[in-house]
Amino acid sequence: MSALWQRRPVGIVGLGLIGGSLGLDLLARGAEVRALVHRQATAERARERGLVSQVSTDPSLLQDCGLVLLALPLDRLLDPEPSLLAALPPDAVITDVGSVKGPVVAAWETLLGPEGSRRFVGSHPMAGTALSGVEAGVADLFRGRPWVVTPSVGTDPEAVEAVRQLAEALGSLWIRCDASDHDRAVALISHLPVLVSAALLLGADRGAAAGAGGEPGSGDHDSREPSDLPDLMRALASSGFADTSRVGGGNPELGTWMARWNREALLDALAHYRRALDGLERAVLEQNWSELHSQLSSSQQLRPAFLQAPLPPVQG
Amino acid sequence: MSALWQRRPVGIVGLGLIGGSLGLDLLARGAEVRALVHRQATAERARERGLVSQVSTDPSLLQDCGLVLLALPLDRLLDPEPSLLAALPPDAVITDVGSVKGPVVAAWETLLGPEGSRRFVGSHPMAGTALSGVEAGVADLFRGRPWVVTPSVGTDPEAVEAVRQLAEALGSLWIRCDASDHDRAVALISHLPVLVSAALLLGADRGAAAGAGGEPGSGDHDSREPSDLPDLMRALASSGFADTSRVGGGNPELGTWMARWNREALLDALAHYRRALDGLERAVLEQNWSELHSQLSSSQQLRPAFLQAPLPPVQG
């Protein structure tokens, strides 16, 4: 039998980077795709770009959809409009694309009730670019990228299978795990780096200001006085600083949401990070160079292990 | 009048990445280049690669050189062999390529004495690749990259000029500043990122081990148990983790030298970093999301300012 996304229309709620990219891929594979958006201007632009089959600001567009993908930002996903909830077909499989899973699964299982929640499958397709909005969607965004699902004990296995068939049709790597494991993993490998990297920018600015005798963040970055430390730092900053500071220079909205909705796991990750940093600093303070060398050798060895190619599915 | 490097042979001590690249560039510009190396095998390979005009393990090769570039690793630069010191021509301009300047300038000014030290010019050509050794040297490594010099009050202006003519012939951006300013700047933009990034790898490993119930660094990275947190982290780690961890996964020898020879400035940089990280963590702890957003907005704005194109020379 063909997959659910092939037999019945697929609904997408929101046409930003993820929603628009899902639309393009599903259309290209012959699905009928109906998108619900907030603003008329988005609907018009989505039509011009040919992102989906139909697009509307009227939630009734979702009727008859067999599968609905909630491609909303975290704040709207966690507090959806009543009109959206009312318009979801009672028999549709519902999934989302949120980057934090525990709070999303808990919120939607409550919203959908004991029966409806069996058809909700928490998803996190891990793909992205620096862009957002209706212009951002691109074809093949999900190919070769993880599509994490976090079903609960009560989730209907057929609902999970319907999401799997869709994810694999887009070329994603299917990874199934507990919501809490997902949230701990992304806290360590995705949310912690944002704070570590932002602190580098803020700390370097503090150091520059202390050296220049000015105030941090005073914005006086065009001073050309002799021996101006901020000027010198800018002249010498190279690829090492650029790479380490990249994610800390990203969208502050996303960083704040991640911290807000994955707060416990992030604080736990920060505690582990602090102990590691303490160990390095102690070696420098104590001039224990063999210890510092040993710790830096460990970190050198750890990196390829963390970045090896994704493994086949982890079954949760 | 032509530049010193055009009028008299140029000596290079050491043919690793920097020394070999200097040799290739100077040869290409018509200089006579004589290299002193430690091992016979290096000399043979340098001849095969055509890195310099002459190469030898005998320090007397340096006689007649008008300019000598000390392209040694920091440990050997700070504790040079007596035979090297004895072989340096008394009238030659001497410069180095060390990534820390205060201790190098102090050591060499002592070694060369009150008169000889006037011809010593501390240099830091800031170029690099991930490679090292006699195979690493490449043409045009220095083009468009900063060449920092840190002359002292007593340094002969003609010696500085001789180094400037060489640096500019290679296409470098000439930057002159105090040794202490150089060391503070590289502590913040080059050495601090190494520790910040290494701590991310070590902290993520601690978090993974805590989640898996194992020991950090146990190396049990091939376990395929269900819900294995380290497995899941590896499957989900993407470009954000890769970039933020890159310099922390580098050569532990270099990281240890930087910390050892720039210890005070690095500890100062770490203190600034900790205050910045404390501020971010406090906002998360206190659930002060507007404060976190404001700090992440600052870091977003700071990054382009730090990474703008290098300015014209900072005069020290």
Side-chain angles (χ1 to χ4, degrees):
Chain A
M1 197 168 73
S2 61
L4 181 58
W5 66 267
Q6 294 169 308
R7 297 198 306 274
R8 289 178 57 185
V10 177
I12 300 180
V13 183
L15 285 179
L17 170 68
I18 302 291
S21 301
L22 288 168
L24 284 170
D25 278 4
L26 285 166
L27 268 192
R29 284 157 184 80
E32 186 188 335
V33 190
R34 302 181 183 177
L36 174 63
V37 298
H38 207 67
R39 295 184 307 134
Q40 196 55 49
T42 308
E44 280 159 27
R45 189 62 190 127
R47 269 180 221 115
E48 286 166 14
R49 289 202 61 203
L51 294 180
V52 289
S53 321
Q54 286 181 56
V55 57
S56 173
T57 57
D58 178 354
S60 69
L61 165 107
L62 295 176
Q63 75 183 49
D64 307 327
C65 286
L67 187 55
V68 177
L69 299 155
L70 306 168
L72 295 167
L74 267 183
D75 58 341
R76 287 176 55 207
L77 181 61
L78 287 161
D79 186 19
E81 291 174 23
S83 62
L84 167 61
L85 282 175
L88 291 172
D91 65 339
V93 170
I94 317 284
T95 192
D96 74 305
V97 304
S99 56
V100 176
K101 296 270 58 81
V104 171
V105 170
W108 278 83
E109 289 188 350
T110 302
L111 289 166
L112 294 170
E115 189 51 37
S117 70
R118 300 193 64 237
R119 299 185 326 274
F120 182 80
V121 182
S123 283
H124 181 196
M126 296 191 69
T129 69
L131 305 175
S132 60
V134 68
E135 305 297 338
V138 288
D140 270 333
L141 183 66
F142 307 98
R143 185 172 298 285
R145 304 285 307 138
W147 185 301
V148 188
V149 286
T150 61
S152 302
V153 178
T155 309
D156 182 347
E158 282 183 24
V160 179
E161 179 63 13
V163 176
R164 189 184 66 75
Q165 287 171 332
L166 183 143
E168 293 188 346
L170 308 192
S172 289
L173 305 171
W174 178 252
I175 297 178
R176 179 179 173 142
C177 65
D178 288 346
S180 63
D181 282 336
H182 168 276
D183 290 354
R184 281 193 296 168
V186 296
L188 286 160
I189 58 104
S190 171
H191 305 170
L192 175 62
V194 170
L195 294 198
V196 160
S197 176
L200 176 62
L201 286 158
L202 296 166
D205 187 50
R206 283 170 174 270
E215 290 297 312
S218 65
D220 183 19
H221 286 299
D222 286 317
S223 159
R224 301 294 300 285
E225 283 163 41
S227 297
D228 182 283
L229 188 63
D231 249 18
L232 189 57
M233 286 167 64
R234 279 197 295 285
L236 306 188
S238 65
S239 62
F241 191 82
D243 285 357
T244 318
S245 67
R246 185 174 68 80
V247 296
N251 185 335
E253 212 82 50
L254 292 182
T256 305
W257 284 335
M258 286 171 176
R260 179 167 189 167
W261 301 113
N262 202 16
R263 180 172 169 269
E264 266 185 62
L266 179 58
L267 287 172
D268 195 47
L270 269 167
H272 289 297
Y273 178 76
R274 275 185 182 279
R275 280 193 282 275
L277 190 66
D278 287 348
L280 291 165
E281 187 170 22
R282 194 178 316 116
V284 178
L285 268 170
E286 294 174 354
Q287 308 190 46
N288 188 343
W289 307 120
S290 63
E291 172 62 23
L292 181 65
H293 188 277
S294 151
Q295 291 185 32
L296 293 176
S297 297
S298 295
S299 68
Q300 185 185 37
Q301 284 158 27
L302 283 166
R303 188 164 183 269
F306 274 120
L307 296 174
Q308 69 187 32
L311 294 166
V314 176
Q315 297 297 328
Chain B
M1 196 168 74
S2 60
L4 181 57
W5 66 266
Q6 293 170 309
R7 298 197 306 272
R8 289 178 58 186
V10 177
I12 300 180
V13 183
L15 284 178
L17 169 68
I18 302 291
S21 300
L22 288 168
L24 284 170
D25 278 5
L26 285 166
L27 269 192
R29 286 157 183 79
E32 185 186 337
V33 190
R34 302 180 182 177
L36 174 63
V37 297
H38 207 68
R39 295 183 307 133
Q40 197 55 50
T42 308
E44 280 160 26
R45 189 60 191 128
R47 268 180 221 115
E48 286 166 14
R49 289 202 62 203
L51 295 180
V52 290
S53 322
Q54 285 182 57
V55 56
S56 173
T57 57
D58 178 355
S60 69
L61 164 107
L62 295 176
Q63 75 184 48
D64 306 327
C65 287
L67 186 57
V68 177
L69 300 153
L70 305 168
L72 295 168
L74 268 183
D75 58 341
R76 288 175 55 206
L77 181 61
L78 286 161
D79 186 20
E81 290 174 24
S83 63
L84 166 61
L85 283 174
L88 291 171
D91 65 341
V93 170
I94 317 284
T95 191
D96 74 306
V97 304
S99 55
V100 176
K101 296 270 57 82
V104 171
V105 170
W108 277 83
E109 288 187 351
T110 303
L111 289 165
L112 295 170
E115 189 51 36
S117 70
R118 300 194 63 237
R119 299 184 326 274
F120 181 81
V121 182
S123 283
H124 181 196
M126 295 191 68
T129 69
L131 305 175
S132 60
V134 69
E135 306 297 338
V138 288
D140 271 333
L141 183 67
F142 307 99
R143 185 172 298 285
R145 305 285 308 138
W147 185 301
V148 188
V149 287
T150 60
S152 303
V153 177
T155 309
D156 183 347
E158 283 183 23
V160 179
E161 179 63 12
V163 176
R164 189 184 66 74
Q165 287 170 333
L166 184 143
E168 294 188 345
L170 307 192
S172 288
L173 304 171
W174 179 252
I175 297 179
R176 179 180 173 142
C177 65
D178 287 345
S180 64
D181 282 337
H182 168 275
D183 291 353
R184 281 194 295 169
V186 295
L188 286 161
I189 58 104
S190 170
H191 305 170
L192 175 62
V194 170
L195 294 198
V196 160
S197 176
L200 176 62
L201 287 158
L202 297 166
D205 188 49
R206 283 171 174 269
E215 290 296 312
S218 64
D220 183 18
H221 287 299
D222 287 317
S223 158
R224 301 294 301 286
E225 282 164 41
S227 298
D228 183 283
L229 188 64
D231 249 17
L232 189 57
M233 287 167 64
R234 280 198 295 287
L236 306 188
S238 64
S239 62
F241 191 83
D243 284 358
T244 319
S245 66
R246 185 174 68 80
V247 297
N251 185 335
E253 213 82 50
L254 292 182
T256 305
W257 283 336
M258 286 171 176
R260 179 167 188 167
W261 301 113
N262 202 16
R263 179 172 169 270
E264 265 184 62
L266 179 58
L267 287 172
D268 196 47
L270 269 167
H272 290 297
Y273 178 77
R274 276 185 183 279
R275 281 193 282 276
L277 190 66
D278 287 348
L280 291 164
E281 187 170 21
R282 194 178 315 116
V284 179
L285 268 170
E286 294 173 355
Q287 307 190 47
N288 188 343
W289 307 120
S290 63
E291 172 62 23
L292 182 64
H293 187 278
S294 151
Q295 291 185 33
L296 293 176
S297 297
S298 295
S299 68
Q300 185 185 36
Q301 283 157 28
L302 283 165
R303 188 164 183 269
F306 273 120
L307 295 174
Q308 69 188 33
L311 295 166
V314 176
Q315 297 296 329

